[in-house]
Amino acid sequence: MLELAAANLLSPIVLSFVLGLGAALARSDLSIPEAAAKAMSLYLLFAIGFKGGVSVADHGVDGTLALALIGGIILSAGLPLIAFALLRIVSGLSPTEAAAVAAHYGSISIVTFVAGTAVLEGRGIPSEGYMVAVAAAMEAPAILTALWLVARGAGETRSQGRGELMHEVLLNGSIVLLIGAFVIGWITGPAGLSEIDSFIVAPFKGVLCLFLLDMGIVAGRGMRAGRGVLDRGALAFGLFMPLVGAAAGLAVGLALGMMPGGVALFMVLGASASYIAVPAAMRVALPQVNPAVYLTLSLAVTFPFNLTLGLPLYVTIASALAGGG
Amino acid sequence: MLELAAANLLSPIVLSFVLGLGAALARSDLSIPEAAAKAMSLYLLFAIGFKGGVSVADHGVDGTLALALIGGIILSAGLPLIAFALLRIVSGLSPTEAAAVAAHYGSISIVTFVAGTAVLEGRGIPSEGYMVAVAAAMEAPAILTALWLVARGAGETRSQGRGELMHEVLLNGSIVLLIGAFVIGWITGPAGLSEIDSFIVAPFKGVLCLFLLDMGIVAGRGMRAGRGVLDRGALAFGLFMPLVGAAAGLAVGLALGMMPGGVALFMVLGASASYIAVPAAMRVALPQVNPAVYLTLSLAVTFPFNLTLGLPLYVTIASALAGGG
Amino acid sequence: MLELAAANLLSPIVLSFVLGLGAALARSDLSIPEAAAKAMSLYLLFAIGFKGGVSVADHGVDGTLALALIGGIILSAGLPLIAFALLRIVSGLSPTEAAAVAAHYGSISIVTFVAGTAVLEGRGIPSEGYMVAVAAAMEAPAILTALWLVARGAGETRSQGRGELMHEVLLNGSIVLLIGAFVIGWITGPAGLSEIDSFIVAPFKGVLCLFLLDMGIVAGRGMRAGRGVLDRGALAFGLFMPLVGAAAGLAVGLALGMMPGGVALFMVLGASASYIAVPAAMRVALPQVNPAVYLTLSLAVTFPFNLTLGLPLYVTIASALAGGG
Amino acid sequence: MQTHAAKRVEITIELIMQSRLTRALESAGVTGYTILPVLGGSGRSGAWSRSGQVTRASGMVQVICIIRPEKLDPLLDAAFAVVEPHIGVVTVTDTQVLRAERF
Amino acid sequence: MQTHAAKRVEITIELIMQSRLTRALESAGVTGYTILPVLGGSGRSGAWSRSGQVTRASGMVQVICIIRPEKLDPLLDAAFAVVEPHIGVVTVTDTQVLRAERF
Amino acid sequence: MQTHAAKRVEITIELIMQSRLTRALESAGVTGYTILPVLGGSGRSGAWSRSGQVTRASGMVQVICIIRPEKLDPLLDAAFAVVEPHIGVVTVTDTQVLRAERF
Ligand SMILES: Nc1ncnc2c1ncn2[C@@H]1O[C@H](COP(=O)(O)O)[C@@H](O)[C@H]1O
Ligand SMILES: Nc1ncnc2c1ncn2[C@@H]1O[C@H](COP(=O)(O)O)[C@@H](O)[C@H]1O
Ligand SMILES: Nc1ncnc2c1ncn2[C@@H]1O[C@H](COP(=O)(O)O)[C@@H](O)[C@H]1O
Ligand code: NA
Ligand code: NA
Ligand code: NA
């Protein structure tokens, strides 16, 4: 385990993240142009979706696809309840703030997911190709739970725009691209992959390195800007909640009888916190909550934790518990 | 033929386009940053030009190069006359509007050309490497014909800036890069290609997929924004004119005794409509024409038609008629 | 030698630069989006740093690393003195202007360095992997010499911000990325390289071509904008100083007993002039100097000279003199 | 050259609210606006900068409307309804326009 | 601090006309201007947005000239000659500048 | 709708000086500003354009501060100290703001 953690920590992927983090903390002006960062994230989404689809075309869909989707949705909708309760106990956040944060932890971080698949590939652990579809399905439900939590309390959300908001969330670019590429990969199958694999397979890890360099810069800036925004309880939550989410993901993955890699990815999805779709939705629905609260927790606390220590931990546990399956 | 059309429709390239189209029509916020889209188009121009030049260096220039250039120029200059006449008959466009649209159909779409070469490569049909030079030569002549059509009518173009305009058109970035890369490929030959082929050959189709994703988004937005701009006659023109252009291209290609792939590319060039050089020139020369008219026709009607149905049709016809040559 | 120069001049890399230069001089609107140019430069820095680090991990650090760093620092700090004296003799630049220009020639151009490594690789000449660290170490010392030259004269620099300025220079994004990637490459070694080599090795030269296309455009624009800014003496300096710098680099490289490639790279570093870190520092420290003076010299005179004629010259001399070592 | 009095309203607002704002403006009868990108800024809710934004949640834009003076009040009402719960700034400046028939 | 009366002219015009406009300004004796990017907008000719522009035909920029009041008329004449057949907006606002000797 | 008199200060300055300027503004008690990107421009030191900038040495930004009139002088003093040795332009325009309590 320690050895695996060290191997993970010393991979180019994690070291690139650390480089970005260090540069930002040292107030270097190193930065990736916004357009390049967005282009890399589109590339990663397209590639991961496409490869997932091809893998489904290749191995067929066994019966668990529908169950896995339902399991993911329940996980996403349920985790905010736990997160909310925890936050109300350990932190000084207001109910509305706690609900906004909770939505992030029910939803998922696709970059953490991508990094997780890279770790699995590196160790040769097989996983279900359709897990990218599960990831996409888990983006939105947490938002509904959070809005319900707020409405139940003070009722101060403005529900008139709810439909529009859900349209935006469900059709946000990341989800559409991920699902779209998944479907394209499924339709075209291995033949389609062979046409474009030197674009989406070979350079994948390298692009991921540069993208994580950028994420490191963003996380480092978040740490500097977010100092003082969070109390100790909230910070502790940012390190503890991923473990809770991973445990819940483990339970779902084992209950569904997934492959070891699939279980690990369920843990990763449970553990990770959104930093794209949910923050945008929260700015629209709960503008009174300072975005620094949730962005700092998600990007500057939980993401680094998952990337460095979480991933090897989840993969090791999943291999151990699901390995004999 | 149907089978080939289906194979084309189910390629990652076309499906990526369809994904972008669908996302835009569903009002998803999926979008490719402007800088990334421009970078991809520069990459495609550089790669296609370079490979064309290398192929000329490799196989030598047979006598048809000069003839093909002249054929292309005549095609580009002549097609606007047909397009203008057709538009005046079937649509309610004013003479100036019809001339502006006609210029687009005499000129060419380099992305359609690139997609055409990808189809040819996929089916192993050989073509002349210098066709990229023909494509470049066909960008501008149509503009002169259109301006002549307008001047002949009301004489309302401001001819004082004509020289400057032609300088801009002939030295627009796309043409310069395409021709420049062609010359570089020609000079450095296969040895030069071997230095950079893992950049310009291997990832080519994948980049084309992402670029067509963007084109799909643009076309989809054009469809939504352009609703109501065009009458039925104009819409029909956008689907019928490519066939006229392809027929003219077929005639030129066969008359010159080109290889099957060369004939197909002549058809593609004849069928495709400009959406970069000509719209810009029209904004300068004919500012009174609403750009939505020509952009909608070129991008939201003709481009999707050519990409999905046109290309397999042209390639099949060219193979059948030039195959025995 | 002539043959080698011709081979260099006809490589895709140099021809791409010439294409950009020609396009800008002909006032084409060909341009690479700023974000794409920055992304490519980050890619090149990451790749060259990483590969340098891997090579150190692979071959071990022999004792010359520390000496090479010291040699580089002395070179960077010393060359501005020569440059300043030369400029005061041959050009009409004021002392402050001459000092600002001198700083650029003590510092280095990382793109020239990258192009130099590409030439070495093309000819199979080995070099020390740690030369990228030497390059990074040479960025800043020249700035201190230049500020000392100015302070010694009129004392008109505002020394209160000196510390902040050096912080900015030493932590500027390019240096941080170069050194960071070097360290990552060193830590992860050949195993890390094998994970990402299809990203940072295979497409490297192709990206360099497109980047040099952009540099050509920038140089060409600089030539057009800078006309009249420089007198003949200054222009001559821009062509002569690289030879002086290369000679100094040659002396250092031979004295340290470097491999032929290492000697050549010392010459390249000595010969090249900064166009990123130093101009920015000069705008802050010596705002009274027109930036067109140093940018024109560095980008539009010295860079093209080094890229086309300088590199083959330096490599040939280094191979001849260090070859038997 | 003949110029005409007009009002220049500049609304700095979160990117995520842009489409909601422009829809509100359109339903208040505003016939034209121009949107400028914003690189960064600082206010009561802290400083932010576009570089390194990986999320759609931050980022701002500046919406500029040139209008006839008599259309100011409906515009401000419409804008205020959208801006009010959000961060952002609204300024109104007296200006002159060419081609007043366009406004 | 001492400030001086000046005019701020803001011209929103199609990207493709930018160089023609700045050349016209220069020949009208305008010694300085600043160009801002425009993300999108809406007017009588419909709405447009920069994202997803694959063509150079659309897109706008905003050209800002700060000038001494007495130079206003030649500037507007020069600008109008370029802008007139095109879409776009011209506003003129009273302002104050530091360092008036620069204008 | 109720609006309040304010000053709109727009400072066009070199990118490289941006952080120095905003720090100076902050220490002069300015609580908010917005930064716009600049594409290009022209002035006494010649023309420049963002496209094809490979160096951090060129490039400009526009810093906009909306302030209460009484805060104008300290702001201008602070800005001037930074801008003075550098190229750039400072304008001050009378304007009106909503939500005056924010300034
Ligand atoms: N006084 C001001 N002048 C100019 N822009 C401001 C000002 N106050 C706030 N802003 C802009 O509005 C954004 C949000 O401000 P706030 O609502 O104060 O957090 C800031 O990030 C700035 O871009
Ligand atoms: N009233 C207005 N206020 C601000 N910008 C405008 C206005 N009208 C037009 N514009 C800008 O000018 C462009 C062209 O307008 P138009 O000529 O009306 O189609 C629009 O896309 C906007 O960017
Ligand atoms: N009169 C002006 N109006 C608008 N912007 C200006 C003006 N003069 C200078 N600028 C801007 O300030 C920059 C530097 O000007 P200068 O200090 O005159 O070289 C120019 O590149 C423009 O962006
Ligand atoms: Na989660
Ligand atoms: Na055509
Ligand atoms: Na040097």
Side-chain angles (χ1 to χ4, degrees):
Chain A
M1 171 68 214
L2 269 184
E3 210 175 305
L4 288 176
N8 183 56
L9 286 176
L10 296 183
S11 73
I13 288 174
V14 173
L15 289 174
S16 297
F17 178 79
V18 172
L19 172 57
L21 201 71
L25 290 177
R27 291 192 292 122
S28 163
D29 70 347
L30 179 61
S31 71
I32 313 269
E34 194 193 4
K38 276 199 188 161
M40 287 193 289
S41 100
L42 295 174
Y43 167 85
L44 293 173
L45 289 167
F46 183 79
I48 193 93
F50 196 97
K51 286 188 281 187
V54 170
S55 138
V56 168
D58 220 4
H59 302 114
V61 193
D62 57 36
T64 53
L65 168 56
L67 287 176
L69 286 173
I70 295 171
I73 289 171
I74 293 174
L75 203 55
S76 172
L79 280 175
L81 300 173
I82 306 179
F84 182 79
L86 274 175
L87 277 167
R88 294 295 292 153
I89 296 168
V90 303
S91 84
L93 297 183
S94 75
T96 314
E97 287 175 324
V101 170
H104 291 72
Y105 284 82
S107 184
I108 61 113
S109 149
I110 197 72
V111 179
T112 315
F113 179 82
V114 167
T117 61
V119 171
L120 291 176
E121 263 169 43
R123 303 208 193 148
I125 301 173
S127 64
E128 287 81 2
Y130 58 67
M131 283 305 291
V132 299
V134 176
M138 287 179 68
E139 288 239 36
I143 294 171
L144 291 179
T145 305
L147 296 185
W148 173 80
L149 281 169
V150 173
R152 200 203 46 155
E156 37 172 340
T157 48
R158 296 180 291 148
S159 55
Q160 78 272 29
R162 188 71 54 91
E164 191 187 347
L165 181 62
M166 287 320 289
H167 175 271
E168 277 180 15
V169 170
L170 291 174
L171 287 177
N172 92 59
S174 310
I175 295 190
V176 168
L177 184 54
L178 190 65
I179 292 294
F182 177 77
V183 171
I184 295 178
W186 195 342
I187 295 177
T188 62
L193 183 62
S194 73
E195 284 191 58
I196 61 172
D197 59 359
S198 49
F199 177 65
I200 67 172
V201 177
F204 188 79
K205 266 200 183 168
V207 176
L208 186 57
C209 282
L210 276 195
F211 188 73
L212 286 172
L213 177 74
D214 187 52
M215 291 290 297
I217 297 171
V218 171
R221 288 196 189 148
M223 285 179 188
R224 282 180 44 223
R227 236 177 306 147
V229 172
L230 299 173
D231 59 25
R232 271 194 219 163
L235 286 174
F237 169 86
L239 300 172
F240 184 64
M241 185 64 208
L243 300 175
V244 175
L250 177 65
V252 172
L254 290 177
L256 294 173
M258 312 281 293
M259 299 185 208
V263 174
L265 289 178
F266 254 119
M267 295 179 74
V268 170
L269 292 174
S272 70
S274 170
Y275 63 89
I276 294 186
V278 180
M282 290 301 117
R283 282 313 293 152
V284 173
L286 304 174
Q288 65 271 40
V289 178
N290 180 355
V293 171
Y294 40 77
L295 285 176
T296 306
L297 264 179
S298 167
L299 271 172
V301 179
T302 298
F303 181 77
F305 171 78
N306 276 330
L307 187 70
T308 53
L309 300 177
L311 289 187
L313 182 68
Y314 311 147
V315 170
T316 307
I317 293 178
S319 316
L321 298 187
Chain B
M1 170 67 213
L2 269 183
E3 210 175 303
L4 288 175
N8 183 57
L9 287 176
L10 296 183
S11 73
I13 288 174
V14 173
L15 289 173
S16 297
F17 177 79
V18 171
L19 172 57
L21 200 71
L25 291 177
R27 290 192 293 122
S28 164
D29 71 346
L30 179 61
S31 71
I32 313 270
E34 193 193 4
K38 277 200 188 159
M40 287 193 289
S41 100
L42 295 174
Y43 167 86
L44 293 173
L45 289 167
F46 183 79
I48 195 94
F50 196 97
K51 286 187 282 186
V54 169
S55 139
V56 167
D58 220 3
H59 303 113
V61 192
D62 56 37
T64 54
L65 168 56
L67 288 176
L69 286 173
I70 294 171
I73 290 172
I74 292 175
L75 204 54
S76 172
L79 281 174
L81 299 174
I82 305 178
F84 182 78
L86 274 176
L87 278 167
R88 294 295 291 153
I89 296 169
V90 303
S91 84
L93 297 184
S94 76
T96 314
E97 288 175 323
V101 170
H104 291 72
Y105 284 83
S107 185
I108 60 113
S109 150
I110 198 71
V111 180
T112 314
F113 179 82
V114 167
T117 62
V119 171
L120 291 176
E121 263 169 42
R123 303 208 192 148
I125 301 172
S127 64
E128 286 82 2
Y130 57 68
M131 283 306 290
V132 298
V134 175
M138 288 178 68
E139 287 239 35
I143 296 172
L144 290 179
T145 305
L147 296 185
W148 173 80
L149 281 169
V150 173
R152 200 203 46 155
E156 37 172 340
T157 48
R158 295 181 292 148
S159 54
Q160 79 272 31
R162 188 70 54 91
E164 192 187 345
L165 180 63
M166 286 321 289
H167 176 270
E168 278 180 15
V169 170
L170 291 174
L171 287 177
N172 93 59
S174 309
I175 295 190
V176 169
L177 183 54
L178 190 66
I179 291 294
F182 178 76
V183 171
I184 296 178
W186 195 342
I187 295 177
T188 60
L193 182 63
S194 73
E195 285 191 57
I196 61 172
D197 59 359
S198 48
F199 177 63
I200 67 171
V201 177
F204 188 79
K205 267 201 183 167
V207 176
L208 185 57
C209 281
L210 276 195
F211 188 73
L212 286 172
L213 178 73
D214 187 51
M215 291 290 297
I217 297 171
V218 172
R221 288 196 190 149
M223 286 180 188
R224 281 181 45 224
R227 234 178 307 147
V229 172
L230 299 173
D231 58 26
R232 268 192 221 165
L235 287 173
F237 170 86
L239 299 173
F240 184 64
M241 185 64 208
L243 300 176
V244 175
L250 176 67
V252 172
L254 290 178
L256 295 172
M258 312 279 294
M259 299 186 207
V263 173
L265 290 177
F266 254 119
M267 294 179 76
V268 170
L269 292 174
S272 70
S274 171
Y275 64 89
I276 295 186
V278 180
M282 291 301 117
R283 281 313 293 152
V284 173
L286 304 173
Q288 65 272 38
V289 179
N290 181 353
V293 172
Y294 40 76
L295 286 176
T296 306
L297 264 180
S298 166
L299 271 171
V301 180
T302 298
F303 181 76
F305 171 77
N306 276 329
L307 187 69
T308 54
L309 301 177
L311 289 187
L313 182 68
Y314 311 148
V315 169
T316 306
I317 293 178
S319 315
L321 298 186
Chain C
M1 170 67 213
L2 270 183
E3 211 175 302
L4 288 175
N8 183 56
L9 287 177
L10 297 183
S11 73
I13 289 173
V14 173
L15 289 174
S16 296
F17 177 79
V18 171
L19 172 57
L21 200 70
L25 291 177
R27 291 192 294 121
S28 163
D29 70 347
L30 179 61
S31 71
I32 313 270
E34 194 193 3
K38 277 200 188 160
M40 287 194 289
S41 101
L42 295 174
Y43 167 86
L44 294 173
L45 290 166
F46 184 79
I48 194 93
F50 195 97
K51 286 187 281 186
V54 170
S55 138
V56 168
D58 220 3
H59 303 113
V61 192
D62 56 36
T64 54
L65 168 57
L67 288 176
L69 286 173
I70 295 172
I73 291 171
I74 293 175
L75 203 54
S76 172
L79 281 176
L81 300 173
I82 306 179
F84 182 80
L86 274 176
L87 278 167
R88 294 295 292 153
I89 296 168
V90 303
S91 83
L93 297 182
S94 76
T96 314
E97 288 175 324
V101 170
H104 291 72
Y105 284 82
S107 184
I108 60 112
S109 150
I110 197 72
V111 179
T112 314
F113 179 82
V114 167
T117 62
V119 171
L120 292 176
E121 262 169 43
R123 303 208 193 148
I125 301 173
S127 65
E128 286 82 2
Y130 58 67
M131 283 305 291
V132 299
V134 175
M138 288 178 69
E139 287 239 35
I143 295 172
L144 291 178
T145 305
L147 295 185
W148 172 82
L149 281 168
V150 173
R152 199 202 48 154
E156 38 172 339
T157 48
R158 295 181 290 150
S159 55
Q160 79 272 27
R162 188 71 54 94
E164 191 188 346
L165 181 63
M166 287 321 289
H167 177 270
E168 277 179 15
V169 170
L170 291 174
L171 287 177
N172 93 60
S174 309
I175 296 191
V176 168
L177 183 54
L178 190 65
I179 292 293
F182 178 76
V183 172
I184 295 178
W186 195 343
I187 295 177
T188 61
L193 183 62
S194 72
E195 283 191 59
I196 61 172
D197 59 358
S198 48
F199 177 64
I200 68 171
V201 176
F204 188 79
K205 266 201 184 168
V207 176
L208 185 57
C209 281
L210 276 195
F211 188 74
L212 285 173
L213 178 73
D214 188 51
M215 292 290 297
I217 297 171
V218 172
R221 287 195 190 149
M223 286 179 190
R224 281 181 45 225
R227 236 178 306 148
V229 172
L230 300 174
D231 58 26
R232 269 190 221 166
L235 286 174
F237 169 86
L239 299 173
F240 185 64
M241 185 64 209
L243 300 175
V244 175
L250 176 66
V252 172
L254 290 177
L256 295 173
M258 312 281 293
M259 298 185 208
V263 173
L265 290 177
F266 254 119
M267 295 179 75
V268 170
L269 292 174
S272 70
S274 170
Y275 63 89
I276 295 187
V278 180
M282 290 302 118
R283 282 312 293 152
V284 173
L286 304 174
Q288 66 272 38
V289 179
N290 180 356
V293 172
Y294 40 76
L295 285 176
T296 306
L297 264 179
S298 167
L299 271 172
V301 180
T302 298
F303 181 76
F305 171 77
N306 277 329
L307 187 69
T308 54
L309 301 176
L311 289 187
L313 182 68
Y314 311 148
V315 170
T316 306
I317 294 178
S319 315
L321 298 186
Chain D
M1 187 156 287
Q2 175 69 23
T3 60
H4 308 267
K7 297 282 181 183
R8 180 181 183 97
V9 182
E10 290 172 279
I11 307 169
T12 305
I13 194 172
E14 292 172 82
L15 191 52
I16 197 84
M17 298 304 293
Q18 174 187 318
S19 58
R20 286 173 176 78
L21 174 63
T22 53
R23 258 177 288 145
L25 293 177
E26 276 154 21
S27 52
V30 172
T31 55
Y33 51 82
T34 294
I35 299 171
L36 303 186
V38 174
L39 268 190
S42 179
R44 298 175 317 150
S45 57
W48 69 275
S49 144
R50 167 145 297 185
S51 85
Q53 296 299 324
V54 282
T55 162
R56 294 184 308 140
S58 21
M60 304 194 87
V61 291
Q62 195 168 96
V63 180
I64 303 175
C65 307
I66 319 290
I67 47 162
R68 294 168 179 273
E70 61 267 26
K71 286 200 197 157
L72 181 61
D73 262 336
L75 186 158
L76 288 185
D77 289 338
F80 194 68
V82 176
V83 175
E84 192 270 319
H86 281 267
I87 62 177
V89 174
V90 182
T91 66
V92 182
T93 311
D94 288 319
T95 192
Q96 299 279 323
V97 291
L98 295 189
R99 307 201 276 188
E101 70 284 1
R102 305 201 147 205
F103 296 92
Chain E
M1 187 157 288
Q2 176 69 25
T3 59
H4 308 267
K7 297 283 182 183
R8 180 181 182 98
V9 182
E10 289 172 279
I11 306 169
T12 305
I13 194 172
E14 292 173 80
L15 191 53
I16 197 84
M17 298 304 294
Q18 175 188 318
S19 58
R20 286 175 176 79
L21 175 63
T22 53
R23 257 177 290 145
L25 293 177
E26 276 154 22
S27 53
V30 173
T31 56
Y33 53 81
T34 294
I35 299 170
L36 303 186
V38 174
L39 270 189
S42 180
R44 296 175 317 149
S45 56
W48 69 275
S49 144
R50 165 145 298 185
S51 85
Q53 296 299 325
V54 282
T55 162
R56 294 184 309 141
S58 21
M60 304 195 86
V61 292
Q62 195 168 95
V63 179
I64 302 175
C65 307
I66 319 291
I67 47 162
R68 293 167 179 274
E70 61 268 26
K71 286 200 198 158
L72 181 62
D73 263 336
L75 186 158
L76 288 185
D77 289 338
F80 194 67
V82 176
V83 174
E84 193 269 318
H86 280 267
I87 62 177
V89 173
V90 182
T91 66
V92 182
T93 312
D94 289 318
T95 191
Q96 299 279 321
V97 291
L98 294 189
R99 308 201 277 186
E101 69 284 0
R102 305 202 147 204
F103 296 91
Chain F
M1 188 158 285
Q2 176 69 25
T3 60
H4 309 266
K7 297 282 182 184
R8 180 181 183 98
V9 182
E10 289 173 278
I11 307 169
T12 306
I13 194 173
E14 292 173 82
L15 190 53
I16 197 84
M17 298 304 293
Q18 174 188 319
S19 59
R20 287 173 175 79
L21 175 64
T22 54
R23 258 176 289 144
L25 293 177
E26 275 154 21
S27 51
V30 172
T31 56
Y33 52 82
T34 294
I35 299 171
L36 303 187
V38 174
L39 269 190
S42 179
R44 296 175 318 149
S45 57
W48 69 275
S49 144
R50 166 145 297 184
S51 85
Q53 296 299 324
V54 282
T55 162
R56 292 184 309 140
S58 20
M60 305 195 85
V61 291
Q62 194 168 96
V63 180
I64 303 175
C65 307
I66 318 291
I67 48 161
R68 293 168 179 273
E70 61 267 26
K71 286 200 198 157
L72 180 62
D73 262 335
L75 186 159
L76 288 184
D77 289 338
F80 193 67
V82 175
V83 175
E84 192 269 318
H86 280 266
I87 63 177
V89 173
V90 182
T91 66
V92 182
T93 312
D94 288 319
T95 190
Q96 299 278 322
V97 291
L98 295 189
R99 308 201 276 189
E101 69 284 1
R102 305 202 147 203
F103 297 91

